[in-house]
């Protein structure tokens, strides 16, 4: 037993040490000088994916890639046809959902032929969970939650919403029509904010840039999201900048947030929103002065932003009111800043 504990400690120390390695070994071009696949996809509004439904669903628990044909469409522009390998991804949703989230893996030579930066060849596609028409509303709420965090900081994942049609190659009449959104490649996000991704367990909040840490803390509190953990690097990425010893924290995967409230949300039906909120703040390393500055910024955003989802013509009025009410409940708690 003692030897096992020592082995675990050694492995843990090694993984933690990886975060301290120099991530800037290879020079990259200036981000503004390149075009990426994610940027290209943002020019389109619709996506068709032709693949074998049975193969994808049957292998949902395995990291097996399947060939797929993609067609991107937008009015007034020629269709863009591409070939990609797809596989199920994630943990919870790939086990529970009728249609698992997928990872798109494009061929680097094909990207080069399109004058696109080859290194960012993999993208995450977030799909609806259950095969019911009303399920799209939860996906749209998660998408707009990402957009809300974009308003807080540029050090966040960009996303792009698409009307999507899945077509079964074995039976083209078998189609699934819904919405999906593409998430910016992780390395691309780090490149865009002039940093590099780092991997490592055991990172303490004190190693995170204070503004970045408090932005993530308050935002997750605002949306009722407790499904993240710094030491385990759960549902967040850490970015290292060349001239700083501190990391930038970039959260993602907001589907368990109470502001989204999908049917599979953890917790008993009677669990209060406040309880979910407060669980986010357990053991938090809070700097009072930085927290005041962060709250001031969030109050400014209440006047100038945090209403971006209201312009979404694809989201129902009920869902917009639900998101608005939930954000208002956060601001009620911040009225007395010292008490908060």
């Amino acid at each position: 037993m003692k030897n096992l504990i020592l082995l675990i400690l050694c492995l843990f120390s090694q993984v933690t040490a990886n975060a301290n390695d120099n991530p800037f070994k290879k020079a990259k071009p200036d981000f503004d000088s390149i075009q990426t696949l994610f940027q290209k996809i943002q020019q389109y509004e619709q996506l068709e994916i032709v693949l074998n439904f049975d193969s994808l669903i049957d292998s949902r628990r395995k990291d097996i890639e399947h060939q797929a044909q993609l067609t991107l469409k937008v009015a007034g522009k020629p269709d863009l046809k591409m070939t990609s390998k797809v596989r199920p991804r994630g943990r919870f949703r790939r086990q529970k959902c009728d249609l698992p989230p997928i990872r798109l893996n494009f061929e680097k030579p094909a990207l080069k032929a399109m004058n696109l930066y080859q290194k960012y060849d993999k993208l995450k596609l977030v799909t609806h969970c259950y095969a019911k028409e009303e399920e799209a509303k939860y996906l749209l709420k998660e998408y707009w939650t990402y957009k809300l965090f974009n308003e807080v900081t540029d050090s966040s994942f960009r996303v792009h919403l698409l009307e999507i049609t899945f077509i079964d190659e074995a039976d083209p009449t078998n189609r699934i029509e819904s919405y999906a959104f593409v998430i910016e490649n992780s390395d691309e996000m780090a490149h865009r904010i002039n940093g590099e991704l780092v991997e490592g367990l055991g990172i303490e909040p004190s190693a995170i840039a204070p503004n970045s840490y408090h932005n993530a803390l308050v935002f997750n509190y605002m949306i009722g999201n407790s499904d993240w953990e710094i030491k385990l690097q759960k549902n967040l990425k850490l970015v290292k900048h060349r001239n700083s010893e501190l990391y930038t924290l970039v959260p993602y995967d907001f589907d368990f947030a109470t502001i989204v409230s999908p049917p599979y949300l953890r917790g008993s039906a009677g669990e209060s929103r406040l309880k979910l909120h407060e669980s986010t703040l357990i053991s938090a390393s809070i700097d009072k002065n930085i927290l005041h500055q962060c709250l001031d910024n969030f109050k400014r955003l209440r006047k100038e932003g945090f209403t971006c989802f209201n312009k979404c013509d694809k989201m129902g009025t009920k869902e917009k009111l639900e998101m608005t009410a939930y954000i208002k409940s956060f601001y009620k708690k911040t009225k007395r800043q010292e008490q908060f």
Side-chain angles (χ1 to χ4, degrees):
M1 183 66 180
K2 184 177 180 181
N3 290 336
L4 178 60
I5 293 173
L6 288 173
L7 176 61
I8 292 172
L9 289 173
C10 289
L11 290 173
F12 182 79
S13 298
Q14 181 62 46
V15 175
T16 304
N18 290 340
N20 297 319
D21 292 344
N22 180 16
F24 300 97
K25 293 178 181 178
K26 295 183 180 179
K28 289 184 178 179
D30 185 79
F31 188 77
D32 291 335
S33 70
I34 64 173
Q35 184 180 28
T36 68
L37 176 62
F38 176 74
Q39 292 170 338
K40 186 76 173 178
I41 290 175
Q42 287 180 295
Q43 301 172 15
Y44 296 86
E45 297 176 354
Q46 298 173 320
L47 172 64
E48 288 184 356
I49 300 182
V50 181
L51 76 167
N52 189 298
F53 282 3
D54 290 340
S55 297
L56 179 68
I57 301 303
D58 291 344
S59 65
R60 67 166 61 235
R61 292 175 175 81
K62 302 175 183 177
D63 291 336
I64 298 175
E65 293 190 315
H66 309 273
Q67 202 73 14
Q69 301 296 321
L70 278 63
T71 304
L72 287 155
K73 301 181 177 184
V74 68
K77 198 171 185 177
D79 293 351
L80 176 62
K81 296 181 180 293
M82 303 183 71
T83 299
S84 173
K85 294 177 181 178
V86 304
R87 68 164 175 81
R89 64 168 189 84
R91 296 179 183 177
F92 184 85
R93 280 189 268 196
R94 77 188 291 176
Q95 304 291 336
K96 299 293 183 180
C97 294
D98 296 334
L99 183 66
I102 61 177
R103 187 193 73 171
L104 304 172
N105 183 8
F106 295 85
E107 296 290 339
K108 285 183 170 63
L111 299 183
K112 183 178 180 180
M114 298 170 62
N115 294 317
L116 300 176
Y117 194 63
Q118 298 176 61
K119 289 190 176 181
Y120 307 143
D121 57 335
K122 298 177 181 63
L123 293 171
K124 293 178 180 179
L125 186 71
V126 181
T127 56
H128 67 275
C129 184
Y130 299 121
K132 298 178 182 178
E133 186 175 346
E134 65 270 17
E135 284 297 309
K137 66 185 180 185
Y138 302 112
L139 180 135
L140 291 171
K141 289 169 81 172
E142 185 182 4
Y143 167 80
W144 284 105
T145 303
Y146 275 92
K147 300 292 281 186
L148 288 173
F149 195 58
N150 290 160
E151 296 195 30
V152 176
T153 174
D154 285 335
S155 298
S156 55
F157 279 101
R158 293 178 176 173
V159 289
H160 180 61
L161 185 67
L162 293 161
E163 296 177 10
I164 192 165
T165 303
F166 289 96
I167 303 173
D168 189 355
E169 66 179 12
D171 178 11
T173 63
N174 186 12
R175 296 177 170 226
I176 301 173
E177 296 182 354
S178 187
Y179 295 102
F181 62 88
V182 183
I183 303 178
E184 184 178 28
N185 178 281
S186 297
D187 288 298
E188 178 179 348
M189 175 275 297
H191 189 177
R192 175 173 55 80
I193 63 174
N194 298 314
E196 292 280 356
L197 283 185
V198 293
E199 300 289 340
L201 303 180
I203 300 297
E204 296 288 343
S206 58
I208 310 296
N211 287 336
S212 173
Y213 173 72
H214 286 76
N215 276 336
L217 187 70
V218 173
F219 182 78
N220 277 304
Y221 182 86
M222 183 182 79
I223 65 173
N225 180 35
S226 59
D227 192 34
W228 64 293
E229 170 60 48
I230 293 176
K231 289 185 179 181
L232 298 178
Q233 208 164 330
K234 179 184 180 183
N235 291 337
L236 59 90
K237 295 294 182 181
L238 296 175
V239 177
K240 187 72 181 294
H241 300 277
R242 190 179 296 273
N243 298 319
S244 176
E245 294 300 319
L246 299 175
Y247 303 104
T248 294
L249 189 160
V250 185
Y252 65 93
D253 205 354
F254 302 120
D255 65 312
F256 274 67
T258 316
I259 199 171
V260 177
S261 291
Y264 52 80
L265 182 65
R266 288 177 192 159
S268 63
E271 187 172 29
S272 70
R273 290 179 174 181
L274 180 60
K275 188 174 180 181
L276 275 172
H277 268 176
E278 290 176 342
S279 66
T280 307
L281 297 177
I282 293 175
S283 300
S285 299
I286 294 174
D287 181 301
K288 189 174 180 181
N289 292 329
I290 301 296
L291 180 60
H292 276 297
Q293 296 172 18
C294 180
L295 288 173
D296 287 342
N297 184 46
F298 272 66
K299 289 177 180 178
R300 178 187 61 80
L301 286 169
R302 186 184 187 185
K303 298 177 181 178
E304 302 175 5
F306 280 174
T307 58
C308 54
F309 51 84
N310 284 324
K311 65 184 178 183
C312 177
D313 58 1
K314 301 173 178 64
M315 185 186 290
T317 301
K318 179 183 177 183
E319 287 69 49
K320 292 178 184 179
L321 291 174
E322 288 173 348
M323 293 186 74
T324 299
Y326 200 78
I327 292 172
K328 282 184 177 179
S329 72
F330 161 76
Y331 281 108
K332 286 181 180 178
K333 295 182 177 66
T334 65
K335 280 185 176 181
R336 296 183 178 179
Q337 198 153 302
E338 287 293 338
Q339 187 177 5
F340 176 82

